[in-house]
Amino acid sequence: SPKAATPEARPVEAVRTSVTAAVPVEVGRVTHHFGQLGVGVIAVESAEISLGDTLHFRGHTTDFFQRVERMELDHQPVEHVGGGQQVAIQVSQRVREGDRVYRVSR
């Protein structure tokens, strides 16, 4: 019956949406880490980064996820940045030069 098919279709659609949203997009690389400030500088190469995005920092000894709560461009707070810019992002863990940065959710 049509009523039985509808509830099954909704969870499948929800699963597709969440899987699609979790596909990582490489946005750039870490160029510097300011340990005392808890800040990593990212050279944004392609996609953009916005406040609220979840980033995945991945390197030889680095592997953690971080929600973007604050970022600055030229010492001024910004809400989003695009390719070709270097942005400072507050990070909860140490990042290292050359670590790759992926956006995993918006």
Side-chain angles (χ1 to χ4, degrees), residues 12-23:
V12 169
E13 197 59 43
V15 168
R16 284 186 191 142
T17 302
S18 64
V19 168
T20 302
V23 173

Side-chain angles (χ1 to χ4, degrees), residues 14-49:
V15 168
R16 284 186 191 142
T17 302
S18 64
V19 168
T20 302
V23 173
V25 175
E26 186 170 356
V27 293
R29 292 178 184 258
V30 173
T31 60
H32 197 76
H33 179 251
F34 295 96
Q36 291 181 331
L37 300 175
V39 170
V41 178
I42 300 169
V44 182
E45 297 168 356
S46 54
E48 64 179 35
I49 301 173

Side-chain angles (χ1 to χ4, degrees), residues 3 7 16 22 28 44 54-55 59 62-63 68 87 91:
K3 288 183 182 179
R16 284 186 191 142
V44 182
T54 299
L55 301 180
T62 307
D63 190 1
V68 179
V87 63
V91 290

Side-chain angles (χ1 to χ4, degrees), residues 5 42 79 98 102:
I42 300 169
E79 293 187 12
Y102 302 89

Side-chain angles (χ1 to χ4, degrees), residues 33-85:
H33 179 251
F34 295 96
Q36 291 181 331
L37 300 175
V39 170
V41 178
I42 300 169
V44 182
E45 297 168 356
S46 54
E48 64 179 35
I49 301 173
S50 299
L51 289 179
D53 288 352
T54 299
L55 301 180
H56 182 193
F57 292 85
R58 184 96 194 238
H60 183 67
T61 58
T62 307
D63 190 1
F64 71 96
F65 293 85
Q66 170 88 40
R67 186 166 188 257
V68 179
E69 301 287 345
R70 178 176 173 80
M71 59 182 173
E72 292 185 1
L73 184 65
D74 297 324
H75 304 284
Q76 297 298 317
V78 292
E79 293 187 12
H80 55 85
V81 294
Q85 295 179 305

